[in-house]
Every structure is written in C-alpha cells, then in structure tokens.
Amino acid sequence: MASPSLSEFDLIRRYFRPAGPSGDPVADARVVLGVGDDAALLRPDAGHEVVVSTDTVVEGRHFFPDHPPESLGHKALAASLSDLAAMGAEPLGVLLSLAVPEAEDAWLTPFSEGFLRLARAMRAPLVGGDTVRGPCSAGVTVLGQVPAGRALQRSGARPADRVVVTGELGGAAIGLAAEIRRRDEGARPPDANDPVCKRLFWPQPRLAAGLALREHAHAAIDLSDGLLADLEHVCAASGCGARVDWPAVPLDPALAGADAALARDCALGGGDDYELLLAVPPEVELAPLAEAAGVALHVIGEFTAGDAIRVVDAAGAPLDARRPGHDHFAD
Amino acid sequence: MASPSLSEFDLIRRYFRPAGPSGDPVADARVVLGVGDDAALLRPDAGHEVVVSTDTVVEGRHFFPDHPPESLGHKALAASLSDLAAMGAEPLGVLLSLAVPEAEDAWLTPFSEGFLRLARAMRAPLVGGDTVRGPCSAGVTVLGQVPAGRALQRSGARPADRVVVTGELGGAAIGLAAEIRRRDEGARPPDANDPVCKRLFWPQPRLAAGLALREHAHAAIDLSDGLLADLEHVCAASGCGARVDWPAVPLDPALAGADAALARDCALGGGDDYELLLAVPPEVELAPLAEAAGVALHVIGEFTAGDAIRVVDAAGAPLDARRPGHDHFAD
C-alpha cells in the first residue's frame, strides 16, 4: 500500500536504520558515524588502504519490474560487495542510493530485509545513502580496506599462472533464460525460491575467498560480465593470454538438464554469477585455501604468453565459444 | 548526435578519464588505483578517518530535462562535495554513477567538462563509477579525510554559540523561480550564464571554509534543504534551539529586485544554496577565518537553550517565517 506522505527521513529510519547496523562489533567499531549526518565517518585500520566501488542497477535494464524485492535488495548489494572480494578487501561500510516511484511498504520492507540481511552476514554496516522518488533503481557504494600494497588487481597475471575460479558458473544465465521464458508464457509472478533462479536471485559475494587468496594470487576479477569477457579484462590488463580447458569449467547444478551448447553459452558467456576468477601461480596449494574460503576452487586453465584467449576441449582442440560480455551501452 | 554503439568502457574512457584525473600532485598521490579495475584504491593520510557521502539527482525531480549539461555536471558534484565541506573534510576522490537514455556526445561532453572542471578545482580526482542506459540521473559519491576525531558534526552546537553562515542565501531559490517562469512563458532554452541563475546553476562547495573552521566550530551542516530546515537538523541533533536575526541574513545579489516576502521565503526556506551553517563559540574571532576560507562569514543569530527556532526582526519581534525544507518524498 502506498504511503505517499512518508518523508525521506522517515523512510531511511524506518527501513534502513536498524538498531545495530551490522550487529558485528568489529565492523561497527570502524563506524565512527553512520546514517544521519552530512556524511558517514569510517576509521580504517592503521596501515590500510581504502577500496571503493559503486554500481547501479536500473529497472528494465538490469531487472524486471516484478523482480522479487527481497532478492533485489540482496543482489544489488552482492554485486557491489563482489567488487571488494575481487580486490581481496574486507568491508568497512556500504551506502545505498535508492530511487522508487513511491514509498510502498509491500516493496520496501522485503527490499530492505534482503539488503540488510546480506549486509549483516558480510559484516558490512549500512552507513549512508539517499532516497528519492523516481524510476526504480538502486545504487550501492561499498567501502573496504586492504593492507597497503596488498590489494588484488586485474593486472598481475603472468604466463604459467593457473586460471582459477570459485564455485560454479552459468547459473545466473540459465536462471535469466528461465525468467524470460516464464514472462513470455504469461503472467505468473516470479518465485524467489525457484531453484533454477537461485544464482540469479541470490548471488554470493566471495569475500572470504578474496581474503584467503589475497596473499597468494597474482590477479583477480569478479565474474559479472561473463567468464570469457572478464578473463579478457584480466588478460588485457596483465598483457597476457589464456587457455581455458572447457571440461574443467565447473557448471552450476541448474545447468544439469540443459543441452551442451546452452550450458557452454551460459558458463562461458553468461554474466552475473559473481564468482571470482584468479591468477594463481603453479606452486600454490589450493586445498587449504578453498577450506579457508569456504568455497570450491577450480583450476580451469592457464595464463599464457601472447594475447590470445582460447577455449579447448578434452583433446586440446579449439572450441568456438567466444561471446561478448554484457555491456550496458552496446546492445 | 546519438552514438548508439558506444560501449560503457569507451564512454568512461572518452569522457571521464582524462590523463591526469585531478592534475593535482597531492590529491593524485593518494590515489593508488583509479578508474579501470574492480574498485578504486585510496590511501588516506595516517591518523585520518574517511568521510563518505552519496547523493543522486534525477531528471524531472531535481532538474529539468533541458538543464544545461555543463551546469548539471558541476552541480551534481558540488552538492556532494558540499557534504564533505560540512564535515571539515578534504576530498580524496569521487565516483560518478551516470544514467543517460543514450550516449549523446552533445550532452556528455559538456556534462563531463562541468564535472571534471570542478573536480580539478577542488582537488577531487575521479576514481570510479559506472554508466548505464536509463532515465537520466547522476549519483555522486565523494570520499574525503579528516584527522581522527576532528570531523565537524551536526550534534555539537551549544547555547550561546553563534549561528554563522558563509556567503549569501536565497540565490538558488530565486533562480529556480526564474527558471519555472521561463518555462511557463515558452520554449526559450535555459541560459547557463543567466546571472539570476548563477547560484542555481553554479553552486560552490565551501571546502576551504570547512577546513578553516574545523578546529573552531562546534557543529556544521551544508544548506541544501534551506536555512530553517537545516538549522532545525542541527538543533535537533544538538538538543538546543536557535534565534535567527532576519536583518543579519545575507541576501544573494540576485534577490536585489525581489519583494520582501519573496526574498525572505528564498533566503530562509529555499534549498540548494550549498553554503555552510556553523555553530561558532562567541570567543572565536571570525575575520581571520573568513580570510582563510575565501568567503564571507556572517553571524545571523545564536543557538539557545530549549528547542524553539525563532526568526526575529530588527526590533526582536518574531517573524512568521517557518517553511518546511525540501523533502524528496513529502511533496
């Protein structure tokens, strides 16, 4: 039900200002001043650099108007925290710029619950933001910290480093395909608990993996544009090429029933999985790092000299699997 | 002219990634990593806290579709930097989340010029952001630093502190009135150099004033909602009241021809001036601080015990001048 007289201040207080912003004493101790002044004040640990990234999702562009609001709150934050994970950073705080056509409780309550639940789980206190009436969009800015000079960057991969990914790939793409089909078939509302949409609706930022691998990997990126597109970003920044061994690419369980071509398109070209891709030198033992990261680590290929990116089958024969990544202005 | 094939990456590179992001060696030295990785890396000075704020302006809500783009780029950044000024912070870096319906060079070039010119002038390097196709909006996140424990907050005002404002007030409101009249009268495009719109189009964030007064003022806020509304925020946070001496309120030169009631509405109730309001104890000498701030400092009243906010005339008689401030969800 719309509450048209709800003011901006009430709205922030009611939905986004719980008693304890993260409920985590360590995270909260770094927040000198949270929501409610002209700006927030954060106290990074001594000897640390500040990591900052911002991402905006827009209705009709990044999500359908009927996207389950609890998932949207979760996902908007997850996508930004994923950038911190890719730098090997731990969160200091997050800011939310929310535009909604009206202050509708039935939407704002689950949106804020999805957002704040993930914020608490990731020890990322909400420290600021703004709300405005407008076409629905959510801009999330995340701040984190890394010991000075230790951040993972895209530019450090070297030939002979292994191409390592966390978790499984292609789940968001197959979920999106299912969502598009559902919409084409009629007006059934989306189901936030649909298993095929699990990755699309509930991506997990790999912060623990970023921290566990920070001192061991040469480079990292998060998989938001798609495996090949993001691998290209790393290769371009690092001045090298890469070989991907298709049989080694871990497929999301939601791809189990899909035909081979679709599975490949989803796993190599689909965006929004928010796993990490890392360049890990050959001598690093992965098993203990996977344990610390709380997620599987898969070696799916190798960085190479030159600038070519090749995908090969079990026999080493090239697969034609190039697909451009997601680009908000190119389609 | 639309360039529909312009990719997100080209767009960021072409318009927002000049060779030297700020051209300022001190500011740039704190940028370990700027645009182009998963996140930016900033290195605050030792012993400093990080100040962060974000603000989004939306077409049709905060600006007209024909708002001069160079002014819009300037103003979106100025409004966010003004929050740093109100904390007594110096900028570390800024991020821009830009949504535009299409990548139109005739709009993006002046928008980015207005944005980057102010960024350079304020030593605030552009370190990140994103671009997306969508209804026009600009979200600006600013990061700054203050020596630990020294940030100005809204909550420190005490009875007997003077109410001090920088510069002149009411200019943005009279400019907005002129803009609305111009639009009502026909289709003449807005003139970015119209003197009556100077404050509306080209607000100046008072960073130097915030720095100059940081060690002397008890509290500060920037005037974005309007003098009385923002004074209320300070009083509420500080647990005190205030008296404003109307004859002492400095009026913007653009109000010279306006009738008395309009001038009062604009100066007391109009938002968007982006001057600072500060609580300064009586013993502090203002002249040398104004010199350091590069802007006039006006004593316009006094903080008082209780919680009432009163505006009085030259004889001390109360004026009925309450007006609610700008609230994005209340109108």
Short mmCIF file of all heavy atoms in Angstrom, two decimals, chain A residues 7 35-36 43 49 52 84-85 93 99 103 133 154 164 176 180-181 192 204 211 215 222 241 247 298 312-313 315 331:
data_model
loop_
_atom_site.label_atom_id
_atom_site.label_comp_id
_atom_site.label_asym_id
_atom_site.label_seq_id
_atom_site.Cartn_x
_atom_site.Cartn_y
_atom_site.Cartn_z
N SER A 7 8.09 10.66 4.62
CA SER A 7 9.18 11.56 4.23
C SER A 7 10.46 10.77 4.01
O SER A 7 10.59 9.62 4.42
CB SER A 7 9.42 12.60 5.31
OG SER A 7 10.18 12.03 6.36
N VAL A 35 24.53 6.65 9.48
CA VAL A 35 23.46 7.41 8.84
C VAL A 35 23.02 8.59 9.70
O VAL A 35 22.93 8.46 10.92
CB VAL A 35 22.24 6.48 8.60
CG1 VAL A 35 21.06 7.27 8.07
CG2 VAL A 35 22.60 5.34 7.65
N GLY A 36 22.77 9.75 9.09
CA GLY A 36 22.12 10.82 9.83
C GLY A 36 22.85 12.14 9.89
O GLY A 36 22.28 13.13 10.32
N ARG A 43 36.67 4.54 10.15
CA ARG A 43 38.04 4.51 10.64
C ARG A 43 38.71 3.22 10.16
O ARG A 43 38.60 2.18 10.80
CB ARG A 43 38.04 4.57 12.17
CG ARG A 43 39.42 4.72 12.79
CD ARG A 43 39.33 4.69 14.31
NE ARG A 43 38.70 5.89 14.82
CZ ARG A 43 37.82 5.90 15.84
NH1 ARG A 43 37.47 4.78 16.42
NH2 ARG A 43 37.29 7.03 16.26
N GLU A 49 44.78 0.62 3.07
CA GLU A 49 44.22 1.46 2.02
C GLU A 49 42.72 1.25 1.95
O GLU A 49 42.20 0.23 2.41
CB GLU A 49 44.87 1.13 0.67
CG GLU A 49 46.31 1.60 0.60
CD GLU A 49 47.11 1.00 -0.53
OE1 GLU A 49 46.58 0.12 -1.24
OE2 GLU A 49 48.27 1.41 -0.70
N VAL A 52 37.10 1.29 -2.84
CA VAL A 52 35.74 1.81 -3.03
C VAL A 52 35.24 1.51 -4.43
O VAL A 52 35.98 1.57 -5.41
CB VAL A 52 35.68 3.33 -2.72
CG1 VAL A 52 36.63 4.11 -3.61
CG2 VAL A 52 34.26 3.86 -2.84
N LEU A 84 34.56 -5.75 -3.94
CA LEU A 84 35.52 -5.78 -2.82
C LEU A 84 36.22 -7.13 -2.75
O LEU A 84 37.43 -7.22 -2.53
CB LEU A 84 34.82 -5.51 -1.48
CG LEU A 84 34.24 -4.12 -1.21
CD1 LEU A 84 33.78 -4.04 0.24
CD2 LEU A 84 35.26 -3.03 -1.51
N ALA A 85 35.42 -8.21 -2.93
CA ALA A 85 36.00 -9.55 -2.90
C ALA A 85 37.12 -9.69 -3.92
O ALA A 85 38.18 -10.25 -3.64
CB ALA A 85 34.91 -10.59 -3.15
N GLY A 93 31.97 -0.47 5.06
CA GLY A 93 30.62 0.07 5.12
C GLY A 93 30.01 0.16 3.73
O GLY A 93 30.72 0.05 2.72
N ALA A 99 16.09 4.82 -5.60
CA ALA A 99 15.00 5.57 -6.24
C ALA A 99 13.82 4.64 -6.40
O ALA A 99 13.96 3.53 -6.92
CB ALA A 99 15.45 6.11 -7.60
N ALA A 103 6.73 5.33 -2.06
CA ALA A 103 7.18 4.66 -0.84
C ALA A 103 6.19 3.58 -0.46
O ALA A 103 5.34 3.76 0.38
CB ALA A 103 7.33 5.69 0.27
N ARG A 133 12.27 9.86 -5.07
CA ARG A 133 11.19 9.34 -5.87
C ARG A 133 11.61 9.39 -7.33
O ARG A 133 12.07 10.44 -7.81
CB ARG A 133 9.94 10.19 -5.65
CG ARG A 133 8.65 9.52 -6.09
CD ARG A 133 7.49 10.51 -6.03
NE ARG A 133 7.20 11.02 -4.70
CZ ARG A 133 6.42 10.40 -3.82
NH1 ARG A 133 5.85 9.27 -4.13
NH2 ARG A 133 6.20 10.93 -2.64
N ARG A 154 43.66 -6.46 -11.42
CA ARG A 154 43.49 -7.24 -12.65
C ARG A 154 44.81 -7.45 -13.39
O ARG A 154 44.90 -8.31 -14.25
CB ARG A 154 42.53 -6.50 -13.58
CG ARG A 154 41.13 -6.34 -13.02
CD ARG A 154 40.23 -5.61 -13.99
NE ARG A 154 38.87 -5.52 -13.45
CZ ARG A 154 37.84 -4.99 -14.10
NH1 ARG A 154 38.02 -4.48 -15.33
NH2 ARG A 154 36.66 -4.95 -13.55
N VAL A 164 41.97 -19.81 -12.08
CA VAL A 164 41.20 -20.46 -11.02
C VAL A 164 39.87 -19.73 -10.87
O VAL A 164 39.83 -18.49 -10.91
CB VAL A 164 41.99 -20.43 -9.69
CG1 VAL A 164 41.12 -20.89 -8.51
CG2 VAL A 164 43.27 -21.24 -9.79
N LEU A 176 18.25 -16.59 -15.82
CA LEU A 176 17.69 -15.48 -16.61
C LEU A 176 16.90 -16.01 -17.79
O LEU A 176 15.81 -15.51 -18.11
CB LEU A 176 18.82 -14.57 -17.09
CG LEU A 176 18.40 -13.36 -17.91
CD1 LEU A 176 17.45 -12.44 -17.12
CD2 LEU A 176 19.63 -12.56 -18.39
N ILE A 180 13.00 -15.24 -18.52
CA ILE A 180 12.49 -14.69 -19.78
C ILE A 180 11.40 -15.60 -20.34
O ILE A 180 10.35 -15.14 -20.80
CB ILE A 180 13.65 -14.51 -20.79
CG1 ILE A 180 14.55 -13.36 -20.30
CG2 ILE A 180 13.13 -14.24 -22.20
CD1 ILE A 180 15.86 -13.23 -21.05
N ARG A 181 11.62 -16.92 -20.24
CA ARG A 181 10.62 -17.86 -20.71
C ARG A 181 9.33 -17.73 -19.90
O ARG A 181 8.23 -17.68 -20.44
CB ARG A 181 11.18 -19.29 -20.62
CG ARG A 181 10.42 -20.30 -21.47
CD ARG A 181 11.18 -21.63 -21.55
NE ARG A 181 11.49 -22.14 -20.23
CZ ARG A 181 12.74 -22.37 -19.78
NH1 ARG A 181 13.78 -22.14 -20.56
NH2 ARG A 181 12.94 -22.84 -18.56
N ALA A 192 10.83 -16.37 -5.88
CA ALA A 192 12.17 -16.09 -5.35
C ALA A 192 12.88 -17.37 -4.92
O ALA A 192 14.10 -17.39 -4.80
CB ALA A 192 12.08 -15.13 -4.16
N GLN A 204 26.26 -14.93 -4.27
CA GLN A 204 27.04 -14.81 -3.03
C GLN A 204 28.37 -14.13 -3.30
O GLN A 204 29.21 -14.68 -4.00
CB GLN A 204 27.30 -16.22 -2.46
CG GLN A 204 26.04 -16.94 -2.03
CD GLN A 204 25.26 -16.17 -0.96
OE1 GLN A 204 25.85 -15.65 -0.02
NE2 GLN A 204 23.94 -16.10 -1.11
N LEU A 211 39.80 -12.78 0.57
CA LEU A 211 40.73 -12.65 1.70
C LEU A 211 41.70 -13.82 1.75
O LEU A 211 42.90 -13.64 1.96
CB LEU A 211 39.94 -12.56 3.01
CG LEU A 211 39.17 -11.26 3.24
CD1 LEU A 211 38.35 -11.35 4.53
CD2 LEU A 211 40.12 -10.07 3.30
N GLU A 215 46.97 -13.11 -0.47
CA GLU A 215 48.44 -13.17 -0.38
C GLU A 215 49.03 -14.22 -1.33
O GLU A 215 50.24 -14.42 -1.34
CB GLU A 215 48.86 -13.47 1.07
CG GLU A 215 48.29 -12.51 2.10
CD GLU A 215 48.76 -11.07 1.89
OE1 GLU A 215 49.90 -10.88 1.41
OE2 GLU A 215 47.96 -10.14 2.16
N ASP A 222 36.01 -10.16 -10.49
CA ASP A 222 34.78 -10.91 -10.21
C ASP A 222 34.03 -11.13 -11.51
O ASP A 222 34.12 -10.34 -12.46
CB ASP A 222 33.91 -10.23 -9.15
CG ASP A 222 33.24 -8.99 -9.65
OD1 ASP A 222 33.90 -8.18 -10.35
OD2 ASP A 222 32.06 -8.77 -9.34
N GLY A 241 47.81 -13.84 -22.46
CA GLY A 241 46.67 -14.56 -22.99
C GLY A 241 46.26 -15.65 -22.02
O GLY A 241 46.74 -15.68 -20.88
N PRO A 247 36.38 -28.80 -20.31
CA PRO A 247 35.88 -29.86 -19.41
C PRO A 247 36.13 -29.54 -17.93
O PRO A 247 35.49 -30.13 -17.06
CB PRO A 247 36.69 -31.10 -19.84
CG PRO A 247 37.13 -30.80 -21.24
CD PRO A 247 37.36 -29.33 -21.28
N HIS A 298 38.48 -24.12 -8.50
CA HIS A 298 38.67 -24.98 -9.67
C HIS A 298 39.73 -24.40 -10.60
O HIS A 298 39.64 -23.23 -10.97
CB HIS A 298 37.37 -25.11 -10.47
CG HIS A 298 36.22 -25.63 -9.66
ND1 HIS A 298 36.00 -26.99 -9.49
CD2 HIS A 298 35.25 -25.00 -8.97
CE1 HIS A 298 34.93 -27.16 -8.73
NE2 HIS A 298 34.45 -25.97 -8.40
N VAL A 312 39.49 -24.79 -25.14
CA VAL A 312 39.80 -26.07 -25.79
C VAL A 312 38.99 -27.21 -25.15
O VAL A 312 38.59 -27.13 -23.99
CB VAL A 312 41.31 -26.41 -25.71
CG1 VAL A 312 42.12 -25.32 -26.41
CG2 VAL A 312 41.77 -26.59 -24.27
N ASP A 313 38.77 -28.27 -25.94
CA ASP A 313 38.05 -29.43 -25.41
C ASP A 313 39.03 -30.41 -24.77
O ASP A 313 40.23 -30.12 -24.64
CB ASP A 313 37.21 -30.09 -26.51
CG ASP A 313 38.07 -30.69 -27.63
OD1 ASP A 313 39.30 -30.86 -27.41
OD2 ASP A 313 37.51 -30.98 -28.70
N ALA A 315 40.49 -32.92 -25.78
CA ALA A 315 41.61 -33.31 -26.63
C ALA A 315 42.52 -32.13 -26.95
O ALA A 315 43.48 -32.26 -27.69
CB ALA A 315 41.08 -33.92 -27.92
N ASP A 331 24.22 -2.87 -26.51
CA ASP A 331 23.10 -3.61 -27.09
C ASP A 331 21.90 -2.71 -27.34
O ASP A 331 21.99 -1.51 -27.21
CB ASP A 331 22.71 -4.79 -26.20
CG ASP A 331 22.48 -4.37 -24.76
OD1 ASP A 331 22.73 -3.19 -24.45
OD2 ASP A 331 22.10 -5.21 -23.95
#
